[in-house]
């Protein structure tokens, strides 16, 4: 008998693939969606209620109806966060005035010169910083920036972290990946030792903070080291079970990390199934979940790592307690990356299995 899937807690809505930036680690901007065919606010109403919604792109703020999208999303979740390049400066400020509970994450890849080099347009760092200062002055709480680490910006990542601490902002990290979403297959970190060494520095700085959230971010960053080194994913991926992605034309995917060279399959399209429960409980959705359970990719992105970190909290908690104590006693963190067996398929998240077969 097929077990009925649990209800999702997190969803990410990719509102558009249109984007004003020209990022080196992402070619989405070169594959824009047709404006008239992008998912509408009425179609978003069909989606379920969840604990967290991330609105992303492309650049979400190119959507002329973003205000209505956000209004609908707040009926679905108490927490809505928009990921943005920060380029549409005035539109971001205007939206924040109307929705003071909105979360804003501005993508900044380094200090001024490095950021503008990697994001392909001059002035992006200045815009992002100016927006965050304005939002801070307006009293918004859920604001900050995120840095995607590639070959040449891990040193700047540490400076950005210090800047975020000084400004009292959130700071999120990621490492670049290959996927259909990014239209990239050559995102590979070649200076692994330098990048991992800088992530270790970041981990030790985060463990010195007083907020437990930062300690668990340190654990997440250890997972990024594990990913960069090509090891098996530490915690299972349950994409398509606890979270899902909706792309601009309505297809529901378990994640945004799929590649056609491994596998890529939609769980269904919300335009064809006005009742989301029918899509979520369909045979097609179950087939996709089976593929996720044996997916070889060892991705470590916050969209799929955060939900399972919470679900299997015992393992991250033990690491956090041990290493917070080490930090308090003046010792460096143990970067003891490991595969946590919680009953997942051992083939999942292990690209090395192809080399061993």
């Amino acid at each position: 008998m097929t077990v009925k899937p649990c209800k999702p807690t997190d969803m990410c809505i990719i509102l558009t693939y249109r984007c004003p930036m020209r990022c080196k680690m992402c070619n989405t901007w070169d594959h824009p969606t047709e404006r008239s065919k992008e998912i509408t606010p009425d179609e978003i109403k069909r989606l379920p209620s969840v604990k967290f919604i991330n609105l992303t792109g492309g650049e979400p703020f190119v959507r002329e109806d973003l205000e209505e999208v956000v209004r609908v999303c707040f009926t679905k979740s108490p927490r809505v966060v928009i990921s943005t390049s920060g380029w549409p400066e005035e539109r971001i400020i205007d939206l924040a005035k109307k929705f003071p509970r909105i979360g804003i994450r501005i993508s900044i890849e380094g200090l001024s010169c490095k950021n503008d080099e990697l994001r392909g347009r001059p002035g992006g760092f200045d815009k992002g910083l100016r927006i965050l200062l304005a939002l801070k002055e307006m009293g918004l709480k859920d604001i900050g920036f995120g840095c995607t680490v590639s070959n040449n910006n891990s040193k700047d990542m540490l400076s950005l972290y210090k800047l975020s601490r000084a400004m009292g902002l959130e700071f999120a990290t990621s490492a670049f990946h290959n996927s259909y979403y990014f239209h990239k297959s050559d995102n590979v970190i070649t200076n692994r030792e330098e990048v991992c060494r800088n992530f270790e520095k970041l981990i030790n700085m985060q463990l010195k903070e007083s907020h437990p959230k930062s300690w668990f971010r340190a654990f997440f960053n250890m997972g990024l080291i594990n990913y960069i080194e090509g090891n098996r994913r530490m915690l299972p991926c349950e994409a398509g079970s606890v979270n899902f992605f909706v792309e601009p034309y309505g297809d529901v995917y378990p994640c945004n990390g799929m590649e056609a060279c491994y596998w890529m399959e939609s769980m269904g399209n919300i335009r064809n199934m006005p009742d989301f429960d029918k899509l979520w409980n369909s045979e097609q959705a179950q087939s996709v979940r089976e593929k996720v359970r044996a997916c070889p990719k060892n991705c470590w992105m916050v969209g799929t790592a955060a939900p399972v970190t919470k679900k299997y909290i015992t393992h991250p908690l033990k690491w956090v307690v041990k290493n917070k104590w080490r930090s308090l006693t003046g010792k460096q963190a143990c970067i003891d990356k490991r595969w946590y067996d919680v009953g997942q398929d051992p083939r999942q998240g292990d690209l090395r299995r192809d080399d061993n077969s």
Side-chain angles (χ1 to χ4, degrees):
M1 182 176 67
T2 302
V3 178
K4 188 175 181 179
C6 60
K7 292 185 177 181
T9 60
D10 298 39
M11 70 175 163
C12 179
I13 306 172
I14 308 168
L15 293 174
T16 180
Y17 289 138
R18 293 177 285 138
C19 185
M21 310 309 286
R22 299 294 181 265
C23 298
K24 291 188 175 180
M25 75 291 291
C26 173
N27 287 338
T28 293
W29 55 270
D30 200 29
H31 300 80
T33 39
E34 294 183 51
R35 182 184 316 214
S36 62
K37 296 181 180 180
E38 291 170 346
I39 187 173
T40 67
D42 280 341
E43 289 168 337
I44 291 173
K45 290 178 181 178
R46 303 174 187 174
L47 297 172
S49 295
V50 292
K51 294 180 179 179
F52 171 69
I53 296 176
N54 176 228
L55 299 176
T56 188
E59 172 52 66
F61 281 92
V62 304
R63 289 282 301 251
E64 297 296 332
D65 59 351
L66 184 60
E67 181 179 334
E68 180 57 27
V69 168
V70 170
R71 186 172 288 107
V72 171
C73 286
F74 269 120
T75 69
K76 298 290 182 180
S77 176
R79 184 170 180 235
V80 180
V81 175
I82 303 178
S83 301
T84 172
S85 66
W87 197 258
E89 190 172 346
E90 292 183 3
R91 296 202 67 202
I92 295 171
I93 300 298
D94 288 344
L95 187 81
K97 289 177 181 177
K98 296 171 181 174
F99 299 95
R101 289 194 296 127
I102 196 74
I104 300 289
R105 294 294 181 276
I106 296 182
S107 297
I108 298 179
E109 314 307 345
L111 300 179
S112 184
C113 291
K114 180 57 65 177
N115 177 76
D116 293 355
E117 171 196 336
L118 292 175
R119 297 194 70 80
R121 294 193 69 174
F125 178 85
D126 295 346
K127 277 177 173 282
L129 192 58
R130 192 161 51 234
I131 292 167
L132 288 169
L133 287 168
L135 296 176
K136 180 79 174 176
E137 188 173 342
M138 290 165 56
L140 269 74
K141 304 296 184 184
D142 196 357
I143 57 174
F145 45 78
C147 177
T148 300
V149 175
S150 51
N151 287 318
N152 303 307
N153 68 337
S154 63
K155 185 176 180 181
D156 276 26
M157 169 189 68
L158 298 176
S159 298
L160 289 174
Y161 166 76
K162 293 174 183 177
L163 179 62
S164 73
R165 292 295 87 211
M167 295 176 66
L169 302 175
E170 299 289 331
F171 182 68
T173 51
S174 60
F176 66 7
H177 287 64
N178 295 312
S179 79
Y180 82 93
Y181 174 71
F182 302 113
H183 296 276
K184 293 285 286 183
S185 59
D186 59 352
N187 278 338
V188 178
I189 291 178
T190 54
N191 56 335
R192 291 183 180 181
E193 289 187 11
E194 177 187 357
V195 172
C196 292
R197 186 166 58 249
N198 284 327
F199 266 118
E200 285 189 35
K201 291 178 181 178
L202 177 62
I203 287 168
N204 282 290
M205 287 190 286
Q206 289 175 320
L207 287 169
K208 289 179 180 178
E209 292 186 39
S210 58
H211 201 295
K213 188 175 182 179
S214 297
W215 312 339
F216 283 94
R217 282 179 174 156
F219 177 84
F220 173 79
N221 285 321
M222 185 176 70
L224 285 177
I225 293 176
N226 183 70
Y227 159 74
I228 291 166
E229 291 179 346
N231 300 320
R232 181 164 53 171
R233 184 182 162 111
M234 296 194 308
L235 286 168
C237 177
E238 296 186 357
S241 296
V242 294
N243 69 284
F244 64 91
F245 281 70
V246 184
E247 62 88 56
Y249 294 139
D251 271 308
V252 176
Y253 288 108
C255 71
N256 65 338
M258 291 182 291
E259 295 180 78
C261 63
Y262 296 107
W263 71 282
M264 181 176 170
E265 197 168 326
S266 168
M267 302 173 78
N269 192 297
I270 62 169
R271 289 173 169 166
N272 301 332
M273 290 189 178
D275 183 342
F276 183 81
D277 284 345
K278 288 184 178 179
L279 184 154
W280 193 247
N281 297 312
S282 68
E283 290 185 8
Q284 174 62 19
Q286 186 58 30
S287 173
V288 168
R289 292 187 190 98
E290 290 298 325
K291 289 182 170 67
V292 169
R293 291 187 184 103
C295 179
K297 293 198 67 178
N298 66 335
C299 309
W300 191 254
M301 301 189 214
V302 69
T304 54
V308 292
T309 298
K310 295 171 186 175
K311 182 175 179 178
Y312 303 105
I313 190 66
T314 302
H315 300 293
L317 181 60
K318 287 180 180 178
W319 184 90
V320 163
V321 170
K322 178 178 74 173
N323 285 284
K324 179 59 181 178
W325 176 251
R326 290 180 64 86
S327 179
L328 289 171
T329 55
K331 298 177 182 178
Q332 297 292 296
C334 286
I335 311 300
D336 49 351
K337 312 171 296 293
R338 66 182 67 181
W339 179 69
Y340 295 104
D341 185 356
V342 296
Q344 71 270 48
D345 189 317
R347 297 173 298 167
Q348 189 198 60
D350 192 1
L351 283 168
R352 302 168 304 170
R353 77 187 196 207
D354 293 332
D355 299 330
N356 298 330
S357 58

